[in-house]
RNA sequence: GACUAUGUAGCUCAACUGGAUAGAGCACCUCACUACGGAUGAGGAGGUUGAGGGUUCGAAUCCUUCCAUGGUCGCCA
């Protein structure tokens, strides 16, 4: 059993013996003892006073005595104004270091011990390249997938590719008009960038057209409806829906360019998917299922033929599910996609949707609708809602050219990593390819850590100057300490030192900070999994690293004063590097051996 | 306007879910050093936790009234 539950049940037993009142173990709040007091764990005794019918201090005293005389790991205690500080037997920790902490799967629950979860993330439109906002989305979704896996879930990572609709038709129209047969090869451009270029070209030409129309006396609204370009885009969408061969052909070609570009970006980001869903495949299913629901009486139809769901009983509105002409809206295709997924994975316990917080209402509706359609998983589905990434000058605006491109940003981070590494000069002897891998890992760690350390639900500020900092509370700082630890372990190995399997020394107070961090990993992972919150893991990684860095500065490891001490520190260093590796892996961050 | 989230050091973020003197990083000041990898460590300064009221042994955290900011309220996605 882990220490805290162990103490709780010991406290419950002791409490009953002292005061004759039986309390559940979780009534005892156990927390880490603050640094300025002696002890390892603290039980807060104020809430116990009503049950013990004694003052908090007296309650604490008697409980402390009973715990020390019990057969648990408690060897001493002190009481400070109602706080019972417990000292844990030092050998408990050294045994723990060679026991639970030494397991290669430390922190992980057995895989498959929790039900299957599907995590959706990324899900971009196919008309524009990925930007900074997508990075937060991808890193979050990818990290949550790994955290859920560590918590024992089977995880299926998916995305829904928004490959259909007016947006891609706009790019197609512009390419036909202005493209002169340009391809990614002929332009020497990534496919997603090329298609994005035509999306912008469409927008600019469209603006000119509407401006002319407005000059000719049309209202802005009229002009935007009547501009020849928008009519052509709408016609293209109609042709696409009818399956017109030429239109579908061009659509496939341009989408394939985008996919090639995206794949490239995903590879650089280090994220991956188990299965892709395409809206062009799911929107029709959605329509069928909505009509089925209509037949079963869960939805209602208005005179014009549109299908609605009434959610007023759930405190929401009526919501449109299908237009009067039978065409799909956004909700329709999301229903279809969800149902297809439940069909594809019959053991699916829930779906997690990594989507920005502007769509909170949409997902509330979606989950209610899925419930009405009879899916019990609906109530466990979760919208992993995250806040916007803002720049110092405000929101990213494509119109003002302030959109931070994902490829550019990553390339910039790699460049900075290269500069700093070359200055440090620790990579001599590695070939170019191996060096490049180090630059990428270091640069990416800075970006991922920066975006993941903030609570997902909060908006966050992306200050380019601060985010490229590789010192302080950053990914590279964590990597740096990992590399130092690994370097020591390599040396030990080269000198023929084996890692101890049992320890003859016990930790002193200097070690306890580090051990306390290491010990909390399993709790951090399960908390992060149940709240879908990677920032908890990120902050843990930093706290652990800081503790090691500080310890490292003051205590020689290989040159420790005697062999037992050296063995102890070596074991501690090994647990540090491995646990840190686990934590960083959960963030999707790969660690280098040198930097 | 209604609903919803957020508001903590100059700036960017924490705070074990109601616990002890609210902690980190950046920036600023001081110090340490042949260094097992200095992309370092130790210290200082910096706070009426947006404001007021309430709940109790105890509040950044819960309730309430305001204030500010973002988001949503489409037969857009």
């Amino acid at each position: 059993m882990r220490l805290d539950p162990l103490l709780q049940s010991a406290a419950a037993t002791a409490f009953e013996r002292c005061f004759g009142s039986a309390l559940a173990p979780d009534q005892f709040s156990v927390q880490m003892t603050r640094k300025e007091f002696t002890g390892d764990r603290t039980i807060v005794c104020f809430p116990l006073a009503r049950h013990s019918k004694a003052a908090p201090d007296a309650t604490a005293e008697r409980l402390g005595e009973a715990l020390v005389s019990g057969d648990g790991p408690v060897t001493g205690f002190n009481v400070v104004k109602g706080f019972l500080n417990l000292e844990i037997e030092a050998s408990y920790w050294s045994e723990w270091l060679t026991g639970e902490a030494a397991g290669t799967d430390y922190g992980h629950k057995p895989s498959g011990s929790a039900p299957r979860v599907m995590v959706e993330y990324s899900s971009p439109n196919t008309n524009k390249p990925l930007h900074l906002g997508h990075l937060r989305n991808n890193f979050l979704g990818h990290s949550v997938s790994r955290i859920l896996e560590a918590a024992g879930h089977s995880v299926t990572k998916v995305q829904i590719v928004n490959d259909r609709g007016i947006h891609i038709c706009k790019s197609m129209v512009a390419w036909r008009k202005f493209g002169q047969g340009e391809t990614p090869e002929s332009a020497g451009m990534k496919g997603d960038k090329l298609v994005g270029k035509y999306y912008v070209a469409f927008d600019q030409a469209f603006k000119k057209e509407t401006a002319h129309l407005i000059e000719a006396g049309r209202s802005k609204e009229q002009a935007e409806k009547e501009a020849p370009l928008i009519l052509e885009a709408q016609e293209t969408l109609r042709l696409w829906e009818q399956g017109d061969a030429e239109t579908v052909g061009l659509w496939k070609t341009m989408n394939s360019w985008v996919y090639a570009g995206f794949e490239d970006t995903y590879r650089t980001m280090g994220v991956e998917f188990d299965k892709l869903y395409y809206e062009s495949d799911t929107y029709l299913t959605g329509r069928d299922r909505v009509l089925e629901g209509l037949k079963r009486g869960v939805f209602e139809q208005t005179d014009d033929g549109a299908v609605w769901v009434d959610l007023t009983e759930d405190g929401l509105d009526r919501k449109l599910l299908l237009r009067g002409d039978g065409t799909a809206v956004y909700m329709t295709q999301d229903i279809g996609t969800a149902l297809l997924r439940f069909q594809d994975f019959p053991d699916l316990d829930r779906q997690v949707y990594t989507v920005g917080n502007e769509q909170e209402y949409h997902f509330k509706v979606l989950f209610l609708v899925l419930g009405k359609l009879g899916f019990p998983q609906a109530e466990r589905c979760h919208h992993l809602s995250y806040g916007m990434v803002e720049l110092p000058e405000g929101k990213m605006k494509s119109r003002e050219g302030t959109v931070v491109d994902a490829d550019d940003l990553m390339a910039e981070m790699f460049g900075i990593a290269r500069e700093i590494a070359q200055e440090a000069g620790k990579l001599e002897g590695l070939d170019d390819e191996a060096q490049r891998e180090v630059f990428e890992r270091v640069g990416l760690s800075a970006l991922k850590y920066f975006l993941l350390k903030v609570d997902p639900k909060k908006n966050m500020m992306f200050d380019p100057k601060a985010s490229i900092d590789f010192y302080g509370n950053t990914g590279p700082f964590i990597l740096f300490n990992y590399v130092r630890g690994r370097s020591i372990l390599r040396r030990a190995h080269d000198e023929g030192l084996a890692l101890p399997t049992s320890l003859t020394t016990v930790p002193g107070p200097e070690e306890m900070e580090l051990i306390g961090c290491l010990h909390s990993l399993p709790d951090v992972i399960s908390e992060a999994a149940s709240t879908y919150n990677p920032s908890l893991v990120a902050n843990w990684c930093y706290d652990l690293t800081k503790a090691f860095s500080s310890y490292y500065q003051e205590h020689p490891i290989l040159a420790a004063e005697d062999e037992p001490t050296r063995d102890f520190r070596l074991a501690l260093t090994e647990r540090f590097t491995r646990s840190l590796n686990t934590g960083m892996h959960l963030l999707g961050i790969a660690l280098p051996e040198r930097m």
Side-chain angles (χ1 to χ4, degrees):
Chain A
M1 203 194 278
R2 307 222 76 226
L3 182 59
D4 289 7
L6 188 80
L7 289 176
Q8 284 179 317
S9 67
T13 312
F15 191 84
E16 187 168 6
R17 209 167 57 225
C18 294
F19 303 106
S21 164
L23 296 180
D26 62 10
Q27 301 245 53
F28 296 85
S29 117
V30 176
Q31 52 190 256
M32 295 264 262
T33 302
R34 294 180 67 108
K35 254 210 292 222
E36 57 267 38
F37 302 98
T38 49
D40 302 296
R41 289 293 185 279
T42 295
I43 295 180
V44 185
C45 293
F46 295 97
L48 305 176
R50 353 193 317 251
H51 300 101
S52 65
K53 303 197 171 65
D57 275 4
T59 308
E61 288 286 346
R62 289 178 62 188
L63 191 57
E65 279 162 26
L67 281 169
V68 169
S69 63
D71 50 9
V74 181
T75 54
F77 73 95
N78 63 83
V79 175
V80 182
K81 335 188 276 185
F83 292 89
L84 170 60
N85 301 319
L86 302 172
E87 288 163 49
I88 304 301
E89 202 172 2
S91 64
Y92 175 91
W93 298 111
S94 40
E95 277 162 32
W96 175 78
L97 275 174
T98 51
E100 184 187 23
T104 49
D105 58 347
Y106 173 57
H108 294 78
K109 296 213 174 101
S111 76
S113 61
R116 177 174 298 278
V117 177
M118 179 173 280
V119 180
E120 175 194 298
Y121 57 97
S122 204
S123 306
N125 289 346
T126 58
N127 60 331
K128 276 182 278 190
L130 303 178
H131 57 68
L132 180 55
H134 293 110
L135 288 179
R136 190 177 196 191
N137 180 306
N138 278 275
F139 295 161
L140 264 177
H142 187 238
S143 174
V144 164
S145 303
R146 288 198 168 168
I147 290 168
L148 290 171
E149 265 166 14
H153 293 276
S154 307
V155 175
T156 307
K157 302 187 287 288
V158 300
Q159 63 167 314
I160 175 81
V161 184
N162 194 354
D163 61 345
R164 164 203 99 82
I166 194 74
H167 57 267
I168 181 71
C169 290
K170 289 179 180 175
S171 295
M172 287 159 64
V173 167
W175 182 84
R176 264 195 315 238
K177 277 201 142 43
F178 320 120
Q180 298 171 317
E182 193 175 38
T183 66
E185 292 74 30
S186 75
M189 247 174 136
K190 279 180 79 224
D192 53 330
K193 297 278 197 297
L194 184 71
V195 172
K197 175 178 138 186
Y198 285 105
Y199 187 77
V200 171
F202 177 95
D203 200 52
Q204 288 168 344
F206 172 70
K207 288 248 170 60
K208 264 186 213 155
E209 283 187 354
T210 53
H212 283 309
L213 286 170
I214 290 168
E215 256 173 57
R218 300 294 205 297
S219 73
K220 189 173 182 240
E221 230 170 70
Q222 273 177 314
E224 282 175 358
K225 269 191 196 149
E226 292 171 15
L229 270 172
I230 193 70
L231 295 177
E232 193 174 338
Q234 281 161 356
E235 176 60 16
T236 304
L237 183 58
R238 246 187 313 276
L239 285 169
W240 180 89
E241 292 205 356
Q242 286 163 12
D244 173 67
E246 193 265 319
T247 307
V248 170
L250 178 59
W251 171 77
K252 278 190 178 155
T253 304
M254 291 185 73
N255 267 338
S256 74
W257 293 345
V258 174
Y259 299 153
F262 281 175
E263 253 172 60
D264 207 51
T265 306
Y266 289 135
R267 199 170 344 138
T268 311
M269 288 195 293
V271 303
E272 70 287 322
F273 303 90
D274 301 311
K275 187 171 168 64
L276 302 188
Y277 286 85
Y278 296 90
E279 238 170 52
S280 55
D281 294 332
T282 67
Y283 79 106
L284 293 174
T285 312
R287 194 183 61 190
D288 295 347
R289 295 314 181 89
V290 168
L291 291 173
E292 257 175 57
L294 180 63
K295 253 184 234 159
R296 296 213 331 252
V298 262
F299 306 136
E300 52 197 42
Q301 196 160 29
T302 46
D303 293 342
D304 61 351
V307 180
W308 295 77
V309 61
D310 184 357
L311 298 171
T312 46
E313 277 182 20
D314 301 287
L316 301 180
D317 261 335
R318 293 173 77 239
K319 187 81 190 167
L320 182 85
L321 300 182
L322 209 53
R323 291 192 188 102
D325 62 4
T327 57
V329 290
Y330 183 42
M331 188 61 73
T332 325
Q333 44 206 27
D334 262 11
I335 293 169
T337 309
L339 300 195
L340 270 176
R341 288 170 176 175
F342 284 132
Q343 199 175 302
D344 289 346
F345 298 89
D347 63 337
L348 204 58
D349 180 67
R350 66 187 113 141
Q351 299 192 40
V352 175
Y353 293 83
T354 314
V355 179
N357 62 8
E358 71 273 13
Q359 295 194 32
E360 272 168 12
Y361 186 75
H362 173 78
F363 282 101
K364 249 181 221 167
V365 173
L366 176 64
F367 299 155
L368 285 171
V369 168
L370 292 177
K372 282 185 188 296
L373 287 172
F375 288 87
Q377 299 97 322
E379 60 185 36
R380 288 187 298 277
C381 282
H382 184 256
H383 174 204
L384 172 49
S385 164
Y386 62 90
M388 271 184 321
V389 184
E390 288 169 1
L391 302 171
E393 58 270 24
K395 284 194 248 176
M396 288 195 291
K397 290 258 164 66
S398 52
R399 216 169 296 152
E400 291 157 30
T402 55
V403 174
V404 178
D405 180 82
D407 294 318
D408 293 350
L409 181 58
M410 290 191 286
E412 188 189 353
M413 300 304 269
F414 299 161
I416 295 162
R418 174 192 300 271
E419 272 172 38
I420 297 180
Q422 284 174 344
E423 204 173 308
K426 294 284 182 185
L427 296 180
E428 277 113 35
L430 291 185
D431 61 43
D432 287 355
E433 177 56 26
Q435 290 201 19
R436 200 178 55 86
E437 187 182 81
V438 172
F439 305 146
E440 295 197 354
R441 287 188 176 190
V442 173
L444 209 48
S445 80
L447 204 47
K448 287 190 176 178
Y449 182 81
F450 189 88
L451 291 171
L452 288 175
K453 74 176 173 184
V454 179
D455 189 336
K457 71 168 176 266
K458 292 189 178 174
N459 288 350
M460 67 177 293
M461 174 66 68
F462 186 87
D463 181 347
K465 285 195 287 286
S467 59
I468 59 172
D469 204 342
F470 284 16
Y471 309 88
N473 185 356
T474 65
F477 168 79
I478 295 172
L479 263 50
F480 170 70
N481 281 286
Y482 174 80
V483 165
R484 292 208 290 196
R486 289 294 301 160
S487 170
I488 290 171
L489 294 170
R490 266 199 311 275
R491 268 177 176 250
H493 179 79
D494 292 347
E495 289 170 22
L497 295 175
L499 285 168
T501 50
S502 70
L503 298 171
T504 52
T505 11
V506 296
E510 298 100 9
E511 280 89 19
M512 279 314 298
E513 174 98 19
L514 192 44
I515 291 175
C517 264
L518 288 169
H519 187 264
S520 66
L521 176 62
D523 299 328
V524 169
I525 293 178
S526 58
E527 179 73 10
S530 63
T531 57
Y532 308 98
N533 185 356
S535 78
L536 299 177
V537 176
N539 288 324
W540 175 86
C541 286
Y542 177 66
D543 289 342
L544 177 70
T545 300
K546 214 169 133 49
F548 176 77
S549 184
S550 174
Y551 182 78
Y552 172 97
Q553 191 81 9
E554 303 297 324
H555 302 83
I557 293 165
L558 289 172
E561 50 270 30
D562 54 51
E563 261 184 46
T565 307
R566 184 199 60 200
D567 280 354
F568 184 90
R569 292 178 180 173
L570 219 42
L572 198 53
T573 304
E574 199 276 340
R575 305 308 177 253
F576 160 72
T577 55
R578 202 154 35 75
S579 298
L580 185 61
N581 193 7
T582 299
M584 293 296 269
H585 176 80
L586 296 181
L587 301 177
I589 297 175
L591 300 168
E593 286 296 306
R594 301 164 201 276
M595 64 189 274

